Amino acid sequence: MKVVYTDVLVIGGGLAGLRTAVGVRRRGLDVLVLSLVPAKRSHSAAAQGGMQASLGNSAMGAGDNEDIHFEDTVRGSDWGADQRVVRMFVNTAPKAIRELAAWGVPWSRVARGSRESVVNAEKITITEADEAHGLITARDFGGTKKWRTCYTSDGTGHTMLYALGDQTIAHDIPVLERQEALALLHEGDRCHGAVVRDLITGELTAYVAKATTIATGGYGRIYKVSTNAIICEGTGIALALETGVATLGNMEAVQFHPTAIITAGILTTEGCRGDGGVLRDVDGHRFMPDYEPEKKELASRDVVSRRMTEHMRKGKGVPSRYGDHLWLDITGLGRAHIEKNLREVKDICEYFLGIDPVEQWIPVRPTQHYSMGGIRTDHTGQSPTLKGLFSCGESACWDLHGFNRLGGNSVAETVVSGMIVAEFIADYCETEGGELSIGTGLVREFLERERQRLDALLEGAGGESATALRERMEAVMMDKVGIFRTGEELEAAVQELQELLRRSRNITVRTKALGANPELVAAYRVQKMLKIALCVAQGALLRTESRGAHFREDYPQRNDRDWLKRTLATWDDEADDLPTIRYEEIPVTDMELPPGFRGYGTRNHVDHPDTAARVAEVERTLAELPEADRFARQQALMDYESLLPEKYRGRNERLTERL
Amino acid sequence: MSTRMQASPADSAPTRRLKLHILRYNPQDPASKPHLQLFEVDEAPSMTLFVALNDIRDHQDPSLQFDFVCRAGICGSCAMLINGRPGLACRTLTSSLGERITLAPLPFFELIGDLSVNTGKWMRGMSERLEAWIHSASEVDLRRLEERMEPELAEQIYELERCIECGCCLAACGTARMRQDFVGAVGLNKIARLRLDPRDQRTDADYYELIGDDDGVFGCMSLLGCQDVCPKDLTLQTQIAYMRRKMLRAAVFSGT
């Protein structure tokens, strides 16, 4: 029996996992990172466009601050977010970006003087102030009132991941590559680590830890076409689900990005539209202003994706052998801009489409992109039901994004949540409750159980094929649990997924190799993925309203009266064919920004009975503070600072707000 | 208008039956011997080697080992020898190749099996040896304005930062053939990138300690293979030549 002990086990070597590891190491703890792939190859590297932080350095971001970032994020979430978490996030994002700057990220900088730019398809001149010269600049992204998205060309995630990867090495943190967690070690309401399979040798090892952190990204690959890397299969989130104790939050909240290229589904960044690109239909007509007169191409992603689909349904798509698509036109931006600030996009167009986006339009359509749902945690990143289990980044639902995430808020969340959650993990490990209390018998039991599960796949006579089940699951999710959803289709999806789950218990793996065995890997992963898919589909079926990225054609209204709540899914028994769904209220009475119209999309919602009273209370509170500064006004509405780790409290300096 | 008249991607691609000869070997299996195995695949429009290899694994041989992560030319996982030349399989369109395609694992790196090699382990070792991270003694106050940097300098650093550690440069390197400890263009480019960065407070004398020998900048024979195959078109030879000059200077002036 092979057992490895550490203080903190981090599962996942992307930005969130690495930042967590660095944070707990700096607090003097022993930490191990497990990763399916070399850390610098994680999906974080694919984030192109940028990271939101309200520095307000550039002319188009002037006047920006945490308050505006907060409002944009809450509106973007369609009021599904936990507003305290949003406040913690927006206050820490400038600190995170400054930390990364110190670690070597070559953020694009403000250059003093005038330059030509494209806004709303028109050339304008932007003049940057002398005093801003050399500070970190920002570009425009959807759903934001200011240009707030900081970037390095369109390789932002790559530069962030490399800086953090280098810091991980500098801090002498072991990253064990090609290691896959198969199950969490747990007893009662306490998590003790994980059972882990070496993908090269096939060996099983128990990693026993005071705190276990899942930072494994999203579950995009349950869909047939996704911008996600192929390792984003949701199997890390499934580890928590399979405990039967930990809960998953808002799994039906799945984002579709407006502009992935056909057919590969590879992303072209929102920076294309932020920098002035427009969407065109089969007639070459720029159609978004017809639907969204104010934000046009830069409404939030859920809205733009729906409008594009709506427009294609009207027969305005461009027919192709892969189905309809629309055009992304960045030709107006000019060669110099594209080759400097959108070079990954240019590479992708050249290699995968054989076109030059400086001259030609890019064929795009909305494609699965982001998982707002994930392991439900509190604001410290800890599961409320399974102690010692933490999660952060895309795999978590703590819950920053509600039912729709803004572009640029995800890479920001990875590092911000890593910074914050690392402190709470370290605090936890230093308390009495954090001490290990696990017997070798339990470890043996879990190792034995996983060994038997693998043997069952290798020796099974059921004859089912993992590939066939997976292809069917991907198709069902794509066709029936997509951008536009109906009760009828969702019901059919749930039924078929249940059938697939039952069949997945009878998979036979033909390759008997005990070491590296991709067929065995595919088999145990599809079993986990089907459970995740069922959480998404069942959550979507039961939520009879439309909110953010979850859109029900049979219930097109956002219904705060009945549905201002977070979906919680558990898998109570291994033999179950469905998750158990419960809900938790999102209390209006605590909200700094009570629910209302988002400012884009359709104005169509049913108010919560408490909304009017809370709106009046907010107005009254602010009226009583006519002289107070913005910090005091905010504090009077909703406390969040006491929730932050002490080292990340405090104001952020700006050119216009000196400390 | 020319932008409007384009056809959708690869609409006119003819259907071919591709013959992929793939090097098979599982070092963990004592009975396994390296050999080329032929797989035939019907070519589809816009097919990349990523699509072709997954097609083979899903429908012909589930034991075939290879590595893909981003499948978009961003992460550097899938470097392999494509008809003998190092390249990223994920962004190689089969239409750019003949009907007969030979695929082999990247040389130089530890073989995991078939087309899968352990680049991650080597890259981590290289980073540790070269202490390839920003060395700074100053504690940064995260609440204050960030240090300023000239916009052009940030762009120059990003230019070198674009390396994805795919390993192609080492697979194409003559020195690496002879010296297993050679840090390669990937390592030398990283030092050049750090040297350019004012946030890294080390001096040329410090860098000389790391790369001032035959396993470092003086091992390069200027065969240019690294730059020829670099998927990110990095100016590797320029960086190596520049670093060689700087390191010579450091050696002369420090009296080493």
Side-chain angles (χ1 to χ4, degrees), chain A residues 41 104 166 200 226 321 359, chain B residues 3 11 28 71 165 193:
Chain A
R41 312 222 188 283
D166 291 345
I200 298 177
S226 167
R321 73 165 76 193
E359 307 276 344
Chain B
T3 49
D11 261 354
Q28 296 218 52
R71 61 80 176 90
E165 298 190 355
R193 176 248 175 271

Side-chain angles (χ1 to χ4, degrees), chain B residues 24-133:
Chain B
R24 303 298 306 273
Y25 177 48
N26 180 2
Q28 296 218 52
D29 176 1
S32 175
K33 294 263 185 300
H35 64 285
L36 283 175
Q37 185 176 352
L38 171 67
F39 295 96
E40 298 197 13
V41 176
D42 285 328
E43 189 171 32
S46 305
M47 183 180 251
T48 58
L49 287 177
F50 164 73
V51 175
L53 284 167
N54 276 288
D55 193 79
I56 292 170
R57 184 151 87 187
D58 283 349
H59 301 115
Q60 298 187 43
D61 188 339
S63 72
L64 183 63
Q65 293 185 60
F66 48 76
D67 293 318
F68 289 98
V69 179
C70 76
R71 61 80 176 90
I74 292 166
C75 77
S77 299
C78 65
M80 59 181 70
L81 293 184
I82 303 161
N83 291 335
R85 186 183 170 90
L88 299 182
C90 73
R91 68 176 199 187
T92 301
L93 291 166
T94 54
S95 59
S96 70
L97 304 169
E99 247 174 40
R100 187 195 146 96
I101 300 167
T102 308
L103 299 178
L106 223 50
F108 183 75
F109 299 98
E110 178 184 292
L111 180 72
I112 293 173
D114 301 335
L115 301 173
S116 173
V117 292
N118 208 335
T119 49
K121 182 176 166 188
W122 191 91
M123 294 296 165
R124 167 93 188 206
M126 179 271 291
S127 291
E128 287 174 355
R129 266 168 67 202
L130 296 186
E131 300 175 27
W133 54 86

Side-chain angles (χ1 to χ4, degrees), chain A residues 142-182:
Chain A
T144 65
K145 288 203 174 65
K146 300 280 181 185
W147 290 25
R148 186 186 300 127
T149 305
C150 306
Y151 61 96
T152 40
S153 180
D154 60 350
T156 313
H158 169 85
T159 60
M160 291 169 69
L161 186 59
Y162 271 57
L164 208 34
D166 291 345
Q167 282 302 313
T168 307
I169 300 169
H171 283 84
D172 200 20
I173 297 166
V175 179
L176 308 176
E177 297 170 2
R178 298 175 192 263
Q179 303 291 326
E180 178 163 14
L182 297 181

Side-chain angles (χ1 to χ4, degrees), chain A residues 415-433:
Chain A
V415 284
V416 167
S417 64
M419 289 163 81
I420 292 172
V421 171
E423 297 305 317
F424 288 119
I425 291 172
D427 290 349
Y428 174 81
C429 288
E430 286 165 5
T431 61
E432 206 173 311

Side-chain angles (χ1 to χ4, degrees), chain A residues 37-38 40-41 45 57 95 98-99 101-107 109-111 131-136 153 155 158-159 162 166 169-170 173 175 177-178 200-201 221 226-227 229-231 264-266 283 320-322 325 340 343-344 351-353 359-361 467 471 510-511 516 518-519 651-653 658-659, chain B residues 1 3-4 6 8-12 28 45-46 48 50 57-59 62-65 67-72 74-77 90-91 93 112 116-121 124 127-128 132-134 140 142-151 154-155 157-159 161-166 190 193 197 199 232:
Chain A
V37 299
K40 286 176 179 170
R41 312 222 188 283
N57 293 326
K95 298 177 176 72
R98 286 167 175 162
E99 178 178 79
W103 285 344
V105 173
W107 297 109
R109 301 286 170 149
V110 178
E131 56 173 1
H133 184 79
L135 296 174
I136 295 169
S153 180
H158 169 85
T159 60
Y162 271 57
D166 291 345
I169 300 169
I173 297 166
V175 179
E177 297 170 2
R178 298 175 192 263
I200 298 177
T201 65
R221 284 284 158 179
S226 167
T227 64
I230 59 163
I231 52 172
I266 296 170
D283 305 318
S320 84
R321 73 165 76 193
Y322 313 106
H325 65 81
K340 188 168 104 182
R343 54 196 298 172
E344 289 296 338
Y351 280 100
F352 293 93
L353 297 167
E359 307 276 344
Q360 289 165 294
W361 298 348
T467 303
E471 284 174 349
R510 287 174 290 158
T511 313
E519 189 185 4
R651 298 178 186 182
N652 298 300
E653 187 173 44
R658 293 296 183 147
L659 292 184
Chain B
M1 168 175 171
T3 49
R4 300 266 307 274
Q6 59 182 300
S8 287
D11 261 354
S12 55
Q28 296 218 52
S46 305
T48 58
F50 164 73
R57 184 151 87 187
D58 283 349
H59 301 115
S63 72
L64 183 63
Q65 293 185 60
D67 293 318
F68 289 98
V69 179
C70 76
R71 61 80 176 90
I74 292 166
C75 77
S77 299
C90 73
R91 68 176 199 187
L93 291 166
I112 293 173
S116 173
V117 292
N118 208 335
T119 49
K121 182 176 166 188
R124 167 93 188 206
S127 291
E128 287 174 355
W133 54 86
I134 296 282
V140 175
L142 301 181
R143 303 184 321 144
R144 301 276 169 190
L145 285 188
E146 61 275 14
E147 284 286 317
R148 288 167 199 267
M149 179 181 277
E150 281 304 311
E155 284 166 24
I157 294 171
Y158 177 62
E159 219 28 67
E161 176 89 359
R162 292 172 57 249
C163 170
I164 55 173
E165 298 190 355
C166 61
K190 183 81 182 191
R193 176 248 175 271
D197 195 327
R199 294 168 292 199
K232 291 290 155 183

Side-chain angles (χ1 to χ4, degrees), chain B residues 221-243:
Chain B
M221 302 184 290
S222 303
L223 297 178
L224 308 180
C226 53
Q227 186 156 340
D228 284 349
V229 300
C230 176
K232 291 290 155 183
D233 298 321
L234 298 175
T235 54
L236 298 170
Q237 277 305 315
T238 311
Q239 299 312 317
I240 292 172
Y242 183 74
M243 287 308 293

Side-chain angles (χ1 to χ4, degrees), chain A residues 151-434:
Chain A
Y151 61 96
T152 40
S153 180
D154 60 350
T156 313
H158 169 85
T159 60
M160 291 169 69
L161 186 59
Y162 271 57
L164 208 34
D166 291 345
Q167 282 302 313
T168 307
I169 300 169
H171 283 84
D172 200 20
I173 297 166
V175 179
L176 308 176
E177 297 170 2
R178 298 175 192 263
Q179 303 291 326
E180 178 163 14
L182 297 181
L184 293 179
L185 287 165
H186 63 99
E187 192 175 36
D189 67 349
R190 180 78 164 87
C191 178
H192 297 292
V195 176
V196 177
R197 179 171 181 271
D198 185 313
L199 290 170
I200 298 177
T201 65
E203 188 180 31
L204 292 187
T205 303
Y207 286 82
V208 174
K210 291 179 176 176
T212 305
T213 309
I214 294 178
T216 51
Y219 42 89
R221 284 284 158 179
I222 60 174
Y223 285 84
K224 185 171 164 54
V225 186
S226 167
T227 64
N228 288 187
I230 59 163
I231 52 172
C232 302
E233 300 179 310
T235 48
I237 294 172
L239 299 174
L241 182 68
E242 287 183 333
T243 62
V245 183
T247 52
L248 307 186
N250 289 346
M251 291 295 284
E252 66 270 31
V254 175
Q255 180 175 82
F256 287 74
H257 193 290
T259 62
I261 62 167
I262 63 161
T263 59
I266 296 170
L267 179 73
T268 58
T269 171
E270 188 156 315
C272 290
R273 284 170 289 132
D275 290 5
V278 297
L279 293 167
R280 297 188 188 280
D281 64 14
V282 66
D283 305 318
H285 172 64
R286 182 185 173 200
F287 59 91
M288 277 307 295
D290 305 343
Y291 295 98
E292 294 295 330
E294 197 199 328
K295 295 298 283 183
K296 306 179 182 71
E297 281 86 357
L298 289 171
S300 61
R301 288 175 178 172
D302 57 326
V303 171
V304 178
S305 288
R306 271 198 296 280
R307 297 303 197 188
M308 289 170 74
T309 308
E310 192 179 340
H311 201 60
M312 287 192 282
R313 283 180 172 185
K314 289 179 184 165
K316 292 294 181 184
V318 185
S320 84
R321 73 165 76 193
Y322 313 106
D324 287 359
H325 65 81
L326 293 160
W327 298 114
L328 171 62
D329 172 10
I330 60 170
T331 60
L333 277 55
R335 183 170 299 278
H337 180 91
I338 291 171
E339 290 184 349
K340 188 168 104 182
N341 286 323
L342 297 169
R343 54 196 298 172
E344 289 296 338
V345 169
K346 186 163 187 287
D347 268 8
I348 286 164
C349 287
E350 281 171 2
Y351 280 100
F352 293 93
L353 297 167
I355 64 165
D356 178 0
V358 177
E359 307 276 344
Q360 289 165 294
W361 298 348
I362 309 167
V364 296
R365 71 174 156 223
T367 300
Q368 194 289 334
H369 180 61
Y370 189 81
S371 314
M372 274 76 72
I375 299 168
R376 178 72 185 128
T377 74
D378 58 21
H379 70 280
T380 70
Q382 186 167 214
S383 164
T385 45
L386 188 59
K387 292 191 181 63
L389 176 67
F390 292 78
S391 183
C392 61
E394 190 174 352
S395 61
C397 175
W398 62 328
D399 156 2
L400 172 63
H401 308 300
F403 277 76
N404 176 65
R405 169 179 74 78
L406 293 185
N409 263 355
S410 62
V411 274
E413 182 191 30
T414 60
V415 284
V416 167
S417 64
M419 289 163 81
I420 292 172
V421 171
E423 297 305 317
F424 288 119
I425 291 172
D427 290 349
Y428 174 81
C429 288
E430 286 165 5
T431 61
E432 206 173 311

